[in-house]
């Protein structure tokens, strides 16, 4: 397998030193991520692209390589290519026909050629000759130079011909490690997950800060979606997940602060705590999922009042996005199901919240607040590496993890339906049921409670989190099926 990776266009226009640094960072990230697949994969870079070679790749490995490339920041697109010695025009046509004949059936197409070096023909000559041949020797609908259904890409470099197939769009953005880190305030809903993704896409190494307002189910749900975001889009770099206990802070606000100012006060307390956490991790900026005027605390006046609580920079990637657009992007990146099923805890609900908080009034209300409670919450925070969250589950919620399951026990595949369809789980002699993670809590209660169930997911992380949550709810007939040793993507 030979893949050519084109880097994000903004990287190409950077100065020479910055461009080299960004492309080197992307190459290093890909080496780490692809190195976990267990086969020999060579990753090399040049001035404008990265080439990946895996001579022994079967269909499964090829699919895993494509999955990594599609979700790694910094990649504009990538294509599988077939490398041949360069011959005459007819030789070029014959090689192209081998790979494109079936794909053109019933479709319009055009041929696009990039050529480097001296040859007895021009790029246009190649396009016309190959295009005419494909039209005659395939069942293509016709040639369309402006709006083709399919574009056949060829590259000629010196004495080599590259026939590109299965070109795939990448994430774009900058490679992780090319920018400074940020601390994302994550609640698990649509907004905070999408804002975190946008930061990762921009090359910002996003650590996570969760304010626990009460309830273990919410914390487990947020850990799950944070792990998903990291594992899917940012696993080349290790990050922290920080939990700050905020129950007493909420209680103090409810008892001491005037009702219309409760929401703004809570946000200011969160920023104060997050700033301390960020400083301890040497992180220069915070990230929130706030969008202007989406709720009462997010008017410009209130956002200004909230920001005045701290000196640190606060990034708001969703500031001008509509809610519908946020949900659409959440669906695209795979966090919609998490957000829609996320347990919620509304700690502070004002009956008549202010939309134009006055700073003197706000400071007066905060003067009633016992700041030692906030300091204690910050001091009692718990930080853990995102790839080790399962190991930190409380001992009393530990669940059995097995490598083999025998009838009459049942395996429940809790992966997303797309993953289940791409790689169905089959275990000889054992019943396998498919219940996606976002339906598990509702559907588990309808199962036969006299049987033992083992949850399955690819890494064993989400399955153990859900199993622990079910055990916490009193379901003792649940465990985790992990057929292979626990592993995580390579990290630095």
């Amino acid at each position: 397998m030979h893949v050519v990776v084109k880097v994000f266009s903004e990287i190409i226009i950077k100065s020479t030193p910055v461009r080299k640094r960004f492309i080197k960072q992307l190459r290093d990230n890909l080496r780490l991520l692809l190195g976990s697949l267990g086969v020999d994969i060579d990753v090399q870079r040049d001035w404008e692209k990265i080439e990946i070679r895996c001579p022994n790749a079967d269909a499964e490995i090829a699919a895993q390589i494509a999955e990594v490339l599609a979700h790694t920041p910094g990649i504009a697109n990538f294509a599988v290519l077939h490398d041949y010695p360069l011959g005459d025009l007819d030789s070029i046509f014959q090689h192209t026909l081998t790979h494109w004949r079936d794909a053109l059936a019933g479709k319009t197409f055009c041929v696009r050629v990039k050529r480097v070096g001296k040859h007895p023909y021009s790029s246009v000559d190649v396009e016309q000759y190959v295009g005419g041949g494909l039209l005659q020797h395939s069942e293509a609908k016709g040639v369309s130079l402006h709006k083709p259904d399919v574009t056949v890409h060829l590259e000629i470099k010196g004495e080599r011909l590259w026939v590109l197939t299965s070109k795939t769009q990448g994430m774009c953005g900058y490679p992780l490690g090319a920018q400074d880190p940020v601390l994302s305030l994550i609640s698990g809903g649509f907004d905070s997950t999408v804002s975190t993704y946008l930061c990762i896409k921009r090359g910002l190494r996003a650590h996570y800060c969760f304010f626990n307002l009460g309830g273990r189910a919410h914390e487990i749900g947020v850990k799950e979606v944070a792990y998903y975001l990291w594992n899917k889009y940012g696993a080349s770099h290790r990050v922290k997940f920080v939990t700050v206990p905020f129950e007493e802070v909420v209680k103090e606000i409810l008892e001491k602060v005037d009702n219309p100012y409760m929401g703004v006060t809570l946000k200011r307390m969160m920023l104060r705590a997050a700033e301390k956490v960020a400083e301890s991790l040497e992180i220069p900026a915070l990230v929130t999922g706030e969008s202007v005027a989406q709720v009462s605390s997010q008017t410009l006046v209130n956002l200004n009042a909230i920001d005045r609580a701290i000196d640190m920079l606060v990034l708001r990637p969703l500031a001008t996005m509509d809610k519908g657009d946020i949900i659409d992007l959440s669906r695209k990146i795979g966090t919609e199901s998490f957000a829609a099923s996320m347990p919620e805890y509304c700690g502070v609900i004002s009956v008549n919240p202010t939309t134009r908080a006055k700073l003197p009034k706000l400071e007066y209300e905060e003067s009633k607040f016992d700041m030692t409670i906030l300091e204690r919450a910050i001091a009692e925070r718990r930080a853990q590496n995102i790839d080790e969250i399962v190991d930190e589950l409380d001992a009393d919620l530990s669940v059995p993890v097995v490598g083999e399951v025998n009838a009459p026990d049942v395996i429940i595949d809790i992966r997303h339906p797309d993953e289940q369809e791409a790689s169905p789980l089959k275990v000889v002699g054992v019943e396998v049921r498919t219940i996606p993670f976002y339906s598990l809590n509702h559907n588990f209660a309808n199962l036969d409670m006299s049987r033992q169930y083992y949850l399955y997911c690819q890494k064993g992380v989400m399955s153990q989190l859900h199993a622990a949550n079910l055990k916490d709810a009193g379901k003792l007939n649940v465990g985790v099926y992990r057929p292979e040793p626990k592993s995580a993507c390579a990290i630095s």
Side-chain angles (χ1 to χ4, degrees), residues 367-401:
S367 69
K368 307 174 188 177
F369 188 95
D370 183 358
M371 286 296 179
T372 61
I373 294 176
L374 179 64
E375 294 169 1
R376 183 163 59 249
I378 296 171
E380 293 176 354
R381 68 184 183 276
R382 292 182 293 109
Q384 53 198 146
N385 292 324
I386 191 69
D387 56 314
E388 297 173 349
I389 55 177
V390 170
D391 298 331
E392 298 298 322
L393 290 173
D394 294 340
D396 63 334
L397 291 181
S398 61
V399 293
V401 179

Side-chain angles (χ1 to χ4, degrees), residues 3-9 11-12 26 46 48-51 74-79 114 155 157 162 164 167-168 170 172:
V3 181
V4 60
V5 176
K6 296 298 180 67
V7 301
F8 180 45
S9 58
I11 297 175
I12 299 299
L26 178 57
D46 63 18
E48 63 176 2
K49 67 181 182 302
I50 291 174
E51 291 185 48
I75 295 176
N77 59 69
F78 61 94
K114 289 185 178 181
E155 294 191 14
K157 296 183 179 295
W162 287 357
L164 279 65
K167 189 173 182 180
T168 304
C172 295

Side-chain angles (χ1 to χ4, degrees), residues 53-279:
R53 290 179 173 84
C54 184
N56 300 319
D58 56 18
E60 182 178 354
I61 292 297
Q64 292 177 7
I65 292 174
E67 174 74 10
V68 170
L69 297 178
H71 302 106
T72 298
I75 295 176
N77 59 69
F78 61 94
V80 176
L81 63 86
H82 303 271
D83 191 350
Y84 298 100
L86 182 63
D88 58 15
L89 289 176
D90 190 65
S91 173
I92 295 173
F93 159 67
Q94 293 295 340
H95 288 312
T96 306
L97 182 65
T98 300
H99 298 287
W100 282 100
R101 185 203 305 266
D102 295 339
L104 298 181
K107 300 177 181 178
T108 60
F109 75 97
C110 71
V111 179
R112 292 288 180 252
V113 176
K114 289 185 178 181
R115 188 176 57 87
V116 178
K118 294 183 178 181
H119 306 94
Y121 38 72
S122 68
S123 298
V124 174
D125 292 336
V126 179
E127 291 174 352
Q128 292 176 344
Y129 188 94
V130 174
L134 291 175
L135 185 60
Q136 293 180 31
H137 294 86
S138 74
E139 297 181 5
K141 184 177 180 180
V143 173
S144 174
L145 298 180
H146 300 292
K147 292 184 179 180
D149 297 326
V150 176
T151 300
V152 177
H153 291 279
L154 305 177
E155 294 191 14
I156 297 173
K157 296 183 179 295
E159 296 304 313
R160 306 300 300 182
L161 167 68
W162 287 357
V163 180
L164 279 65
T165 59
S166 63
K167 189 173 182 180
T168 304
Q169 179 68 35
M171 277 182 67
C172 295
Y174 294 142
L176 278 180
Q179 308 290 334
D180 291 319
V182 293
L183 182 67
S184 177
L185 280 62
I186 188 166
S187 65
F190 293 102
D191 299 339
S192 63
T193 53
V194 171
S195 64
T196 303
Y197 163 80
L198 290 175
C199 288
I200 294 173
K201 179 181 176 182
R202 203 61 182 171
L204 300 168
R205 183 179 180 183
H207 299 260
Y208 301 88
C209 185
F210 168 63
F211 294 95
N212 194 341
L213 305 183
R216 179 175 178 81
H218 190 190
E219 180 177 358
I220 289 177
V222 175
K223 283 182 174 180
E224 184 178 41
V225 71
Y227 178 88
Y228 171 86
L229 283 168
W230 170 79
N231 186 56
K232 188 83 168 180
Y233 303 105
S236 60
H237 289 71
R238 174 170 281 168
V239 299
K240 296 287 187 181
F241 185 96
V242 182
T243 301
V244 183
F246 241 52
E247 296 96 328
E248 290 189 24
V249 174
V250 170
K251 181 175 180 292
E252 183 75 359
I253 291 174
L254 291 171
E255 292 178 351
K256 301 288 183 64
V257 175
D258 192 22
N259 190 282
Y261 279 77
M262 287 181 176
V264 176
T265 300
L266 177 62
K267 292 291 186 68
R268 282 166 61 93
M269 295 299 174
M270 287 180 172
L271 286 193
R272 288 187 176 104
E275 182 180 46
K276 294 297 183 182
V277 172
E279 289 174 348

Side-chain angles (χ1 to χ4, degrees), residues 322-373:
D322 297 334
K323 188 67 173 184
D325 294 334
I326 295 170
I327 293 175
D328 288 344
L329 184 51
S330 175
R331 184 177 304 117
K332 178 181 177 182
I333 66 176
T335 59
E336 180 191 29
S337 299
F338 293 93
S341 61
M342 187 65 60
E344 293 188 6
Y345 182 86
C346 300
V348 174
I349 301 178
S350 297
V351 176
N352 186 26
T354 181
T355 59
R356 302 186 66 84
K358 299 184 182 300
L359 195 57
K361 169 67 172 174
L362 185 55
E363 292 173 343
Y364 170 73
E365 292 300 322
E366 287 187 346
S367 69
K368 307 174 188 177
F369 188 95
D370 183 358
M371 286 296 179
T372 61
I373 294 176

Side-chain angles (χ1 to χ4, degrees), residues 6-60:
K6 296 298 180 67
V7 301
F8 180 45
S9 58
E10 288 185 20
I11 297 175
I12 299 299
I13 63 175
K14 297 289 184 183
S15 66
T16 300
V18 174
R19 179 174 177 171
K20 287 182 177 179
R21 177 168 62 86
F22 278 28
I23 295 178
K24 179 179 181 298
Q25 182 68 66
L26 178 57
R27 180 206 62 187
D28 292 345
N29 292 350
L30 289 175
R31 283 179 173 176
L32 285 166
L33 293 170
L34 296 174
S36 67
L37 299 184
V39 295
D40 291 332
I41 300 178
D42 182 54
V43 183
Q44 300 295 334
R45 67 181 173 98
D46 63 18
W47 180 238
E48 63 176 2
K49 67 181 182 302
I50 291 174
E51 291 185 48
I52 298 170
R53 290 179 173 84
C54 184
N56 300 319
D58 56 18
E60 182 178 354

